[in-house]
Amino acid sequence: MTRWLLLRCLQAAVTLLLVAILLFCLMRLAPGDPLSRVSGEQQLTPGALAHLREQYGLDQPIARQLAIWLAGVVRGDLGASIEYGRPVTSLIAERLRASLLLGGTALLINFTLGLWLGAVQAVRRGTPVDRWLTAASLAGYATPSFWLGLVLAALVAVRWRLLPAAGMQNPLLASDAGPWVRGLDIADHLALPAATLVIVSIASTMRYQRRAMLEVLPLPYIVAARAKGLAESVVVRRHAWRNALFPVLSLAGLWLPILATGSVFVESVFAWPGLGSLAAGAVGTRDYPLLMGTALLVSSLIVLGGLLTDVAYGVLDPRIRWA
Amino acid sequence: MSRVLEVENLRVTFPAGDGRRVAAVDGVSFSLDRGETLALVGESGCGKSLTSLSLLRLVPAPGRIEPGSRIRLGDTDVLALEGDALRAIRGRRIGMIFQDPMTSLDPVFRVGDQIAEGILAHFRVSRREARERAVALLRETGIPDPAARADNYPHQLSGGMRQRVMIAIALAAEPEILVADEPTTALDVTVQAQILEVLDRLRAERGMAVLLITHDLGIVAGRADRVAVMYAGQIVEEAPTPALFARPSHPYTRGLFASIPRLTGPVERLRPIPGTVPSPAAWPSGCRFRPRCPYAFEPCGREPPRNDVGPGQWMRCWLEGEQR
Amino acid sequence: MGLTGLPGTLIAGVWRQPSGRAALVTLGLIVAVALAGPPFLPNPAAQPDVLGQASLPPGSGHLLGTDPLSRDVLSRVVGGARVSLAVAGLAILVSVTIGAGVGLVAGYLGGAVDAVLMRLVDAALAIPRLFILLLLLAVWDHIPLGALILILGTTGWFGTSRLVRGEVLRLKQEAFVTGAEALGAGRARVMFRHLFPNTLGPLLVAATLGVGDVILLEAGLSFLGLGIQPPRPSWGGMIFDAKAELLTAPWTSIFPGLAIAATVLAVNLLGDALSGALDQRQS
């Protein structure tokens, strides 16, 4: 088991390395170099431009630039943002917490709600409940997240004034407000963006859970459990659920990229100070180091997430744990 | 004389795809007395497993037990039970050993917990008490070091041990009837004998009635008091075991015996029964064995009657008793 | 095995399912309207209408109202349909071609080729597609449509390649493959003549579902200004333009949003129905 674990970690490390190289190549694919944009906007003299070039190491051969970039990544140095003039890492560090909060909340709701609804669908397969749930979730999936966010903000926040429309905290909150008040305030702001993310992504979870449960429910050990005289709800909850959970766990690997993508739009629409809105903003200013840094971090989180999922699988499934 | 189980005219139907329903179990009747073992013998597809599942009302959808069937457990009408009352008989009055212990045990739970589950479903005891009883049950089935085995997962045990776990689970709630569905089919020959020994011993100790379902005539001899032979959803012959082995009467039963290879005696060619078992959707009219029967004659186009051929022995055939 | 009757049986299989029927009808309508074009474009989308007609609610003359720049919403929605569908369709073509090719090669050749290719695919899959697109598209001020299609296409083949590879690995065991090899068929021939046709089913499903994803991505990119460039109409762009008027002139953003949702929903239902039809064909 530990050997498998080590192998898996090694795999993840290799993937991360390839990701970094890929991102570097993507940036270099663009015609010209990152600074050609900047010079146009800021009207730099050729001398200043050359100086900047040297500063960013753009006058070196490509392979060397890659090596410098990778060395920097390992050190934790992702370069400096062209727009903000500050190290990319500090910018990311500031906004990471907000993204994790939003993403984590959405993930939690997605899984609890999605797993429950998917199980309901499986147990009531073929009934109107099943069909309606499928239709509703698919409709949610088909809805563009930025549009949904705008609509929700307009209706719930502006028209009905139930929740705030933007930001993570109320800037007018008294500076001596206790943690409970602060927490509620953040929760208020979190509600709409999290709801948006959940609506557009819950369909996948529900479908996977439904399919997984439908595969488990007819299995012999489920019939055997009923033969013991267990209540149907116990059979479903204790035996079917536990076994259906495994294929669904691997879903997490798929879900994280969806979450990351959605967060770019949702954070922008709701002005949530996370990595998504940071990336979206960096696009407008052609701030390549910032874009690359954000992309690298998000990808790393995804690789890490995949690794953790595999480990969880290995720990939870006794067939693997005690192999 | 206490009759613990009475099954009358059991019919289990399935949709055939074109709107009709076909009966995979078609008018099966039998009874069980306390302490006796009835073997239900037949090839795969004859409906014996479905019959056993019906006793616990576990027939998988879209199958259903047709009205007109009767299943009585002592004074209780099984087919009229619902909800908690139905759950109360599962495991507690009828215990079931399923066919393949690898797929009939939940892979993510320890076997001790799976046995305890069966105890806790019917008795108000503490978890510790249930656990102790589970270990005791494992010991009774002859598993060495039962306390350690109880903490194992199914995949960590051998086939024989898993089957003993299945037996323990079936006995957990102390039922009066034990249904063993092909208890040895998935096992090696050497282990088969051990398992059958265990079943025998436990049955005698607890005074249970046993319904033994199998396709193997070999394990019936010496273990069952009576035998019922099933073909195409019906019981075609029923007799006390010695009588069946001495004088198999129904052509199908005779065919079964004739097709068993012998270790002793002159070397003969194997004589299988010609043809194959028809599917429920394509059952022949009249006597269902007719197309494969070497003795088929004119009346066989009509449903054969129950034909008594000896004390406690009858068959569903137009032939007279000893006619060859 | 082969292609005989595949399109026919698939469409029949889809039609048999109620959700498939609904999807085919809806998509058919959308595509028909988009193709027809002119009859549905009372005002060519490019030119703003007469001034003083800004932000009119749906009514006579303008079936879906006008936007803040006095442009007819219906024309723009239809115009947007034409562009979005064309972009998505062409991009998927590119993705599927590359993905199938890579999957075939990796699956059939196996060994080091497979290992290297799949490691690269894994790394690419770890980066959310949107981020890749942001990096690639941020270069331009005004992205040419061709470049957009190509970039969308070349960033969307990773999942497909894994899918095709999986199918090839499964099919490799089958008798017809060994048979072809025994008859002396070269590797290319085995791949394209024998393996590829048998992957068409799952490939088609993946392509259909991929169209939905591309439409959503393109809409999002257009919303951010990185997709279809104005003055070309795009659903995402329309929603961006209408952002400020969401409560005062909701029709300006509701209709493009609904258009996206309806199209993607229909495409996804079609993909599901195709998958169901394929399963039935197997059994």
Side-chain angles (χ1 to χ4, degrees):
Chain A
M1 159 84 172
T2 18
R3 202 180 94 100
W4 168 83
L5 201 64
L6 275 165
L7 221 68
R8 201 52 201 85
C9 287
L10 194 64
Q11 248 183 9
V14 170
T15 307
L16 274 174
L17 178 66
L18 284 173
V19 166
I21 297 177
L22 259 176
L23 282 173
F24 181 85
C25 294
L26 280 176
M27 188 176 85
R28 284 291 182 266
L29 270 175
D33 60 41
L35 284 182
S36 48
R37 322 252 81 250
V38 179
S39 68
E41 279 158 37
Q42 296 186 3
Q43 324 243 286
L44 294 164
T45 65
L49 193 58
H51 181 74
L52 261 178
R53 275 229 161 79
E54 202 188 305
Q55 198 171 41
Y56 278 97
L58 291 169
D59 50 345
Q60 312 264 10
I62 271 275
R64 193 156 159 68
Q65 287 188 45
L66 174 62
I68 297 175
W69 153 247
L70 285 175
V73 167
V74 170
R75 267 200 324 268
D77 172 18
L78 293 169
S81 155
I82 295 177
E83 160 85 6
Y84 295 89
R86 290 163 48 205
V88 169
T89 25
S90 79
L91 280 167
I92 289 180
E94 276 173 15
R95 323 262 301 214
L96 183 62
R97 196 181 65 125
S99 273
L100 286 178
L101 184 63
L102 177 59
T105 310
L107 196 78
L108 196 67
I109 301 176
N110 186 305
F111 265 87
T112 44
L113 199 61
L115 290 184
W116 174 59
L117 288 175
V120 167
Q121 281 192 281
V123 169
R124 295 184 203 277
R125 170 213 211 156
T127 61
V129 170
D130 181 18
R131 283 198 289 266
W132 275 109
L133 281 174
T134 306
S137 63
L138 281 178
Y141 188 85
T143 311
S145 54
F146 55 91
W147 181 75
L148 181 64
L150 285 173
V151 169
L152 282 179
L155 278 179
V156 178
V158 181
R159 177 64 79 75
W160 298 330
R161 297 185 181 284
L162 287 174
L163 290 165
M168 187 165 107
Q169 301 177 66
N170 187 345
L172 301 175
L173 207 56
S175 50
D176 59 349
W180 190 241
V181 177
R182 280 196 194 283
L184 270 176
D185 180 47
I186 293 181
D188 262 357
H189 285 84
L190 188 57
L192 282 181
T196 311
L197 275 176
V198 169
I199 293 175
V200 299
S201 61
I202 201 168
S204 306
T205 317
M206 282 169 64
R207 283 161 66 91
Y208 260 77
Q209 171 73 331
R210 181 180 183 277
R211 196 179 330 157
M213 289 280 284
L214 283 178
E215 276 179 12
V216 167
L217 280 172
L219 289 180
Y221 59 81
I222 299 292
V223 181
R226 285 196 195 106
K228 288 184 205 170
L230 296 172
E232 186 66 21
S233 62
V234 173
V235 173
V236 169
R237 242 185 320 112
R238 192 184 297 166
H239 293 279
W241 243 83
R242 275 290 300 267
N243 282 280
L245 204 57
F246 294 113
V248 173
L249 256 184
S250 58
L251 229 206
L254 279 175
W255 211 88
L256 291 172
I258 300 179
L259 183 58
T261 304
S263 68
V264 171
F265 298 115
V266 172
E267 285 184 17
S268 303
V269 164
F270 288 97
W272 184 266
L275 292 174
S277 48
L278 187 66
V283 163
T285 55
R286 311 296 193 250
D287 192 346
Y288 270 91
L290 188 56
L291 259 179
M292 290 251 298
T294 326
L296 183 63
L297 182 76
V298 172
S299 309
S300 309
L301 286 175
I302 290 173
V303 171
L304 193 66
L307 180 64
L308 284 174
T309 311
D310 278 353
V311 171
Y313 210 116
V315 165
L316 287 173
D317 188 341
R319 287 166 287 191
I320 298 180
R321 189 168 16 131
W322 299 104
Chain B
M1 156 95 139
S2 35
R3 176 141 299 179
V4 286
L5 178 68
E6 179 110 39
V7 176
E8 259 180 79
N9 200 33
L10 177 64
R11 289 188 75 234
V12 179
T13 59
F14 280 85
D18 52 356
R20 306 182 295 140
R21 292 190 78 92
V22 289
V25 176
D26 202 358
V28 163
S29 306
F30 61 90
S31 60
L32 260 186
D33 289 337
R34 179 182 309 277
E36 79 164 335
T37 302
L38 171 68
L40 197 55
V41 173
E43 297 167 273
S44 37
C46 70
K48 46 192 206 300
S49 282
L50 269 177
T51 305
S52 65
L53 285 174
S54 306
L55 299 178
L56 288 173
R57 299 262 301 275
L58 285 176
V59 173
R64 65 164 185 251
I65 301 175
E66 292 293 324
S69 314
R70 277 166 50 93
I71 303 178
R72 294 193 73 82
L73 247 188
D75 286 330
T76 319
D77 181 359
V78 172
L79 297 176
L81 296 175
E82 289 301 328
D84 286 331
L86 181 58
R87 274 196 297 279
I89 63 153
R90 287 179 181 161
R92 181 77 180 96
R93 298 191 63 188
I94 304 180
M96 186 141 173
I97 302 174
F98 286 84
Q99 201 163 346
D100 181 1
M102 190 61 234
T103 56
S104 302
L105 290 170
D106 191 327
V108 302
F109 285 97
R110 298 178 205 270
V111 299
D113 293 332
Q114 298 193 45
I115 303 172
E117 197 180 35
I119 298 172
L120 288 166
H122 296 281
F123 303 121
R124 280 198 182 299
V125 294
S126 66
R127 298 193 82 93
R128 146 157 297 162
E129 165 86 23
R131 156 89 190 187
E132 279 168 13
R133 287 202 206 179
V135 174
L137 277 166
L138 281 176
R139 185 173 298 115
E140 275 190 70
T141 63
I143 285 189
D145 198 2
R149 293 288 81 77
D151 281 332
N152 284 141
Y153 290 93
H155 71 276
Q156 294 175 294
L157 302 174
S158 72
M161 286 203 273
R162 286 197 287 263
Q163 191 59 290
R164 292 175 206 253
V165 170
M166 292 290 298
I167 297 175
I169 291 178
L171 297 174
E174 298 170 19
E176 45 195 87
I177 300 175
L178 189 65
V179 176
D181 190 352
E182 310 261 15
T184 54
T185 306
L187 303 172
D188 297 333
V189 175
T190 44
V191 183
Q192 278 184 13
Q194 294 170 2
I195 296 298
L196 291 171
E197 278 297 322
V198 169
L199 276 175
D200 246 348
R201 179 169 48 80
L202 291 168
R203 179 194 57 83
E205 283 173 12
R206 289 157 184 256
M208 294 185 297
V210 175
L211 181 64
L212 180 63
I213 299 172
T214 179
H215 63 270
D216 185 352
L217 277 170
I219 72 173
V220 168
R223 309 235 180 243
D225 299 309
R226 282 186 299 130
V227 183
V229 179
M230 263 187 91
Y231 183 80
Q234 297 172 319
I235 294 184
V236 295
E237 181 166 1
E238 191 182 325
T241 314
L244 191 87
F245 276 71
R247 280 185 316 277
S249 304
H250 192 280
Y252 177 60
T253 319
R254 290 200 211 151
L256 282 180
F257 277 100
S259 60
I260 299 174
R262 296 185 190 293
L263 277 178
T264 57
V267 174
E268 296 174 347
R269 256 176 127 199
L270 277 181
R271 282 185 284 149
I273 307 175
T276 51
V277 180
S279 80
W283 274 334
S285 57
C287 172
R288 295 196 179 153
F289 190 59
R290 181 168 44 96
R292 307 170 71 189
C293 182
Y295 307 103
F297 61 124
E298 190 269 321
C300 299
R302 297 189 308 279
E303 275 278 346
R306 227 181 103 128
N307 196 341
D308 287 318
V309 287
Q313 182 172 10
W314 62 269
M315 65 171 178
R316 196 188 289 264
C317 187
W318 286 105
L319 294 170
E320 293 306 307
E322 295 292 323
Q323 200 166 34
R324 292 207 175 273
Chain C
M1 309 227 188
L3 295 174
T4 41
L6 180 69
T9 36
L10 279 185
I11 296 184
V14 168
W15 192 259
R16 225 175 289 137
Q17 303 167 58
S19 60
R21 264 203 299 274
L24 271 178
V25 168
T26 315
L27 269 179
L29 250 134
I30 296 175
V31 170
V33 168
L35 280 177
F40 291 96
L41 301 172
N43 309 290
Q47 281 102 26
D49 203 4
V50 177
L51 272 172
Q53 300 237 310
S55 299
L56 290 178
S60 56
H62 297 278
L63 209 57
L64 298 181
T66 59
D67 72 359
L69 289 182
S70 307
R71 292 176 294 197
D72 176 52
V73 171
L74 175 62
S75 316
R76 301 210 86 221
V77 168
V78 173
R82 303 180 71 159
V83 188
S84 291
L85 289 174
V87 167
L90 289 169
I92 278 292
L93 224 58
V94 174
S95 297
V96 161
T97 311
I98 303 178
V102 171
L104 276 170
V105 168
Y108 186 58
L109 295 179
V113 173
D114 181 27
V116 167
L117 279 173
M118 283 304 116
R119 297 267 100 232
L120 286 173
V121 166
D122 280 343
L125 281 173
I127 312 175
R129 191 171 172 190
L130 182 64
F131 281 84
I132 302 180
L133 290 168
L134 291 181
L135 277 168
L136 285 173
L137 292 170
V139 180
W140 279 279
D141 272 332
H142 196 98
I143 300 156
L145 202 58
L148 178 66
I149 294 173
L150 243 129
I151 288 177
L152 278 171
T154 50
T155 53
W157 58 267
F158 310 118
T160 314
S161 72
R162 294 214 120 231
L163 178 73
V164 171
R165 174 182 176 272
E167 283 291 301
V168 169
L169 285 179
R170 192 179 59 83
L171 290 168
K172 247 189 346 186
Q173 333 272 18
E174 300 270 331
F176 73 94
V177 175
T178 0
E181 290 168 344
L183 286 173
R187 293 198 292 203
R189 191 173 165 79
V190 174
M191 277 197 282
F192 295 111
R193 188 89 174 68
H194 296 279
L195 286 169
F196 176 64
N198 286 287
T199 62
L200 274 180
L203 200 59
L204 193 60
V205 174
T208 310
L209 295 174
V211 168
D213 286 340
V214 172
I215 294 179
L216 281 173
L217 268 172
E218 174 268 301
L221 288 170
S222 305
F223 179 77
L224 291 175
L226 281 181
I228 295 168
Q229 303 292 305
R232 247 200 204 100
S234 74
W235 290 332
M238 289 172 74
I239 298 178
F240 178 78
D241 291 336
K243 217 170 37 158
E245 317 273 313
L246 197 56
L247 284 171
T248 51
W251 57 89
T252 46
S253 49
I254 298 280
F255 291 119
L258 283 178
I260 300 174
T263 312
V264 174
L265 182 60
V267 164
N268 281 342
L269 284 177
L270 181 62
D272 268 357
L274 268 172
S275 177
L278 268 173
D279 283 340
Q280 280 185 351
R281 201 166 156 270
Q282 303 271 5
S283 58

